[in-house]
Amino acid sequence: MWKLTTSAAAARGPWLQSNNGFLGRQVWEYDPDAGTPEERAEVERLREDFTKHRFQRKESQDLLLRLQNEDGGWGKQVLGPSTMFGSCTSYASLVLLGAKLDGDQDALTKARHWILSHGSATAMPQWGKVWLSIIGVYEWSGNHPIIPELWLVPDFLPIHPGRFWCFTRLVYISMAYLYGKKFVGPLTPTILSLREDLYSIPYEQINWDKARDSCAKALLLLSKISPDLVGDQIRQDRLYDAIDCIMSFMVLNPSESFRNIVSDYPSVECTSSVLDALVLFKELYPKYRASDIEKCIKAASLFLEKTQKNDGSWYGSWGICFTYGTMFAVRGLVASGRTYENSHVIRKACNFMLCKQQSTGGWGESYISSEIEDYVDSGNPNAVNTSFAMLALIYAGQEHMGCFNSSFYFNYANYRNLYPIMALGELRRRLLAVNS
């Protein structure tokens, strides 16, 4: 049974130190003998209930079995469709944690069937293949070269990895080292069993040169095989997605699984935030580099106006999605002097927000908006999207209140706390200003 250990008791051992007496320090420790037999039996009952209802309850991120899709696979994210990347890494993780194949209805049996019916682990994208190579379930010769010597070229060259986007740079510096070392962990019985589970032919017979170039293109090959052998034919729109994905990787993107990761592209959120900061700085320190700052403000404002979509929205790269991006864009443009009265761009943004309001008074946007780059209503309002919309309308000077009820998606837990408070606080501040 897991128990919570707090404060100084959590610091047993020489590796954890604190300058404040471990105030607020909390860790979970597993004690198999903790609790009474009745309590342990209740914990076991709850575990079985979680497994039984894992297709209905996907909020928890601590149990891979609960995140499994009904078709047997896993997506790159909790709500996403099954992918080879998500399925192979999740399957391998479960086996490493001690899970075993056990019966036709077992989760691993369904997962293995999904993996083999979609091309086996040789159809994983590059990052997945590297991960499997490290643990010894995929040969390094089946990977595209990740040249560690590239870090030795002059750093002024555009191909130097130091010029990659920060997240990609951190990933590739470690991958390049491991590729150069051809590092492989211990080949335990568990690893050898994974070699059998993840492939449709014996491991020793796999053509690793051919596997190197196998990825989403496996979909096309599967679509040409009789459904009697591989199951229902892949939908045409899924094939279109695969081709779009392949084409998006043509410009120096060796991950084969994430879009736009090598370079850091301009975004509405970053531009708006910098614009807001420059305007505030200019007000406080009007003499410092005044002409340079004014030039930058004008260029940033023009960027925001040019990137507005025809419906009045902006695409958000770091949140979901159009309510998020539009809120940032409106704030930046208002900071630069645009208003509802003098800017057609601001009026279009307000019209967009108002036309997406649900009958409850709130807003709710689906994560699918980020994938198809078009607004998709989630069907239900939520506090975060409602806050984004409220802030956009408030920044634009519109008196409005809403009912309250986020390529890879993150659950920013504080969004539900931060943005509702931010929206209500901004509304209160402006109402008080009007009343005074």
Side-chain angles (χ1 to χ4, degrees):
M1 182 181 295
W2 289 93
K3 61 181 181 181
L4 185 65
T5 303
T6 59
S7 300
R12 290 192 295 270
W15 307 114
L16 189 62
Q17 300 179 10
S18 171
N19 292 323
N20 66 347
F22 296 97
L23 182 64
R25 174 70 184 178
Q26 302 177 358
V27 296
W28 286 95
E29 294 182 343
Y30 183 73
D31 183 352
D33 300 320
T36 65
E38 292 77 13
E39 289 173 333
R40 291 195 294 271
E42 177 64 10
V43 169
E44 188 62 31
R45 184 192 68 79
L46 291 173
R47 289 180 61 194
E48 292 177 356
D49 183 68
F50 287 157
T51 300
K52 181 179 179 181
H53 296 95
R54 64 183 182 275
F55 296 132
Q56 288 77 42
R57 303 172 184 168
K58 293 198 174 186
E59 295 80 11
S60 175
Q61 299 180 23
D62 59 354
L63 292 174
L64 282 172
L65 286 176
R66 294 178 60 190
L67 305 180
Q68 187 180 29
N69 291 329
E70 293 192 52
D71 61 6
W74 284 266
K76 286 189 299 185
Q77 55 219 10
V78 175
L79 298 177
S82 297
T83 65
M84 193 61 75
F85 195 166
S87 299
C88 288
T89 52
S90 297
Y91 185 98
S93 297
L94 285 170
V95 171
L96 292 174
L97 290 170
K100 298 181 184 298
L101 288 169
D102 185 24
D104 293 339
Q105 300 302 318
D106 178 72
L108 287 184
T109 301
K110 293 179 63 178
R112 183 171 185 263
H113 178 268
W114 190 96
I115 291 169
L116 297 184
S117 65
H118 287 76
S120 84
T122 57
M124 285 187 80
Q126 174 82 352
W127 284 12
K129 290 175 177 176
V130 169
W131 190 80
L132 291 185
S133 298
I134 292 170
I135 65 172
V137 186
Y138 189 94
E139 292 297 309
W140 280 108
S141 59
N143 288 277
H144 289 290
I146 308 172
I147 309 170
E149 290 81 6
L150 197 60
W151 292 86
L152 301 178
V153 303
D155 59 8
F156 63 81
L157 293 176
I159 62 170
H160 191 282
R163 295 181 174 272
F164 291 173
W165 187 35
C166 57
F167 299 116
T168 306
R169 183 170 66 246
L170 291 173
V171 169
Y172 272 100
I173 192 171
S174 57
M175 281 189 177
Y177 173 82
L178 292 167
Y179 179 86
K181 289 286 188 179
K182 301 297 188 295
F183 175 86
V184 179
L187 298 181
T188 65
T190 300
I191 296 300
L192 295 178
S193 70
L194 278 171
R195 287 184 172 187
E196 296 181 4
D197 293 349
L198 294 177
Y199 303 98
S200 55
I201 62 174
Y203 188 81
E204 297 76 14
Q205 297 179 17
I206 297 174
N207 184 331
W208 297 109
D209 288 338
K210 189 175 181 180
R212 186 185 304 129
D213 295 318
S214 177
C215 187
K217 287 166 277 190
L219 291 173
L220 294 175
L221 299 178
L222 285 171
S223 69
K224 299 172 68 174
I225 301 176
S226 169
D228 295 334
L229 297 177
V230 297
D232 294 338
Q233 195 168 34
I234 298 167
R235 298 196 314 270
Q236 191 176 49
D237 61 320
R238 295 295 301 276
L239 292 176
Y240 290 167
D241 290 342
I243 293 300
D244 291 343
C245 181
I246 292 171
M247 293 178 67
S248 72
F249 298 145
M250 291 180 67
V251 184
L252 192 58
N253 188 347
S255 78
E256 301 177 341
S257 49
F258 306 110
R259 297 172 57 190
N260 301 336
I261 66 161
V262 176
S263 298
D264 192 5
Y265 294 85
S267 69
V268 169
E269 304 96 303
C270 295
T271 303
S272 175
S273 298
V274 171
L275 178 56
D276 198 21
L278 287 176
V279 171
L280 178 60
F281 181 87
K282 179 183 175 183
E283 293 174 356
L284 296 175
Y285 305 95
K287 295 182 180 180
Y288 182 80
R289 298 185 63 181
S291 60
D292 292 338
I293 290 176
E294 185 61 31
K295 180 180 179 181
C296 191
I297 289 174
K298 289 181 178 179
S301 301
L302 184 61
F303 170 83
L304 292 177
E305 291 180 332
K306 285 185 174 181
T307 53
Q308 186 181 38
K309 293 172 67 72
N310 291 334
D311 63 2
S313 67
W314 282 266
Y315 181 87
S317 301
W318 296 99
I320 299 174
C321 167
F322 291 99
T323 47
Y324 180 79
T326 302
M327 179 267 290
F328 270 96
V330 170
R331 176 169 180 153
L333 288 172
V334 168
S336 69
R338 275 69 166 175
T339 66
Y340 186 87
E341 289 72 24
N342 68 19
S343 172
H344 176 62
V345 171
I346 297 293
R347 291 194 294 273
K348 283 179 63 178
C350 291
N351 290 336
F352 166 80
M353 284 298 193
L354 292 173
C355 76
K356 301 304 180 185
Q357 187 177 25
Q358 299 176 353
S359 59
T360 59
W363 281 258
E365 185 177 2
S366 169
Y367 74 95
I368 298 174
S369 295
S370 299
E371 296 184 352
I372 68 173
E373 300 187 13
D374 198 11
Y375 187 92
V376 177
D377 195 291
S378 65
N380 296 301
N382 68 64
V384 176
N385 289 132
T386 300
S387 302
F388 293 160
M390 279 188 65
L391 285 167
L393 293 168
I394 291 170
Y395 293 147
Q398 299 299 293
E399 295 293 337
H400 176 80
M401 292 187 64
C403 293
F404 278 79
N405 68 21
S406 176
S407 141
F408 220 37
Y409 305 104
F410 300 93
N411 181 19
Y412 295 119
N414 273 334
Y415 270 26
R416 74 190 78 168
N417 304 320
L418 171 64
Y419 283 103
I421 294 173
M422 186 175 175
L424 292 173
E426 187 69 19
L427 179 62
R428 181 177 183 273
R429 183 180 71 83
R430 298 196 180 213
L431 290 177
L432 289 175
V434 171
N435 293 334
S436 62

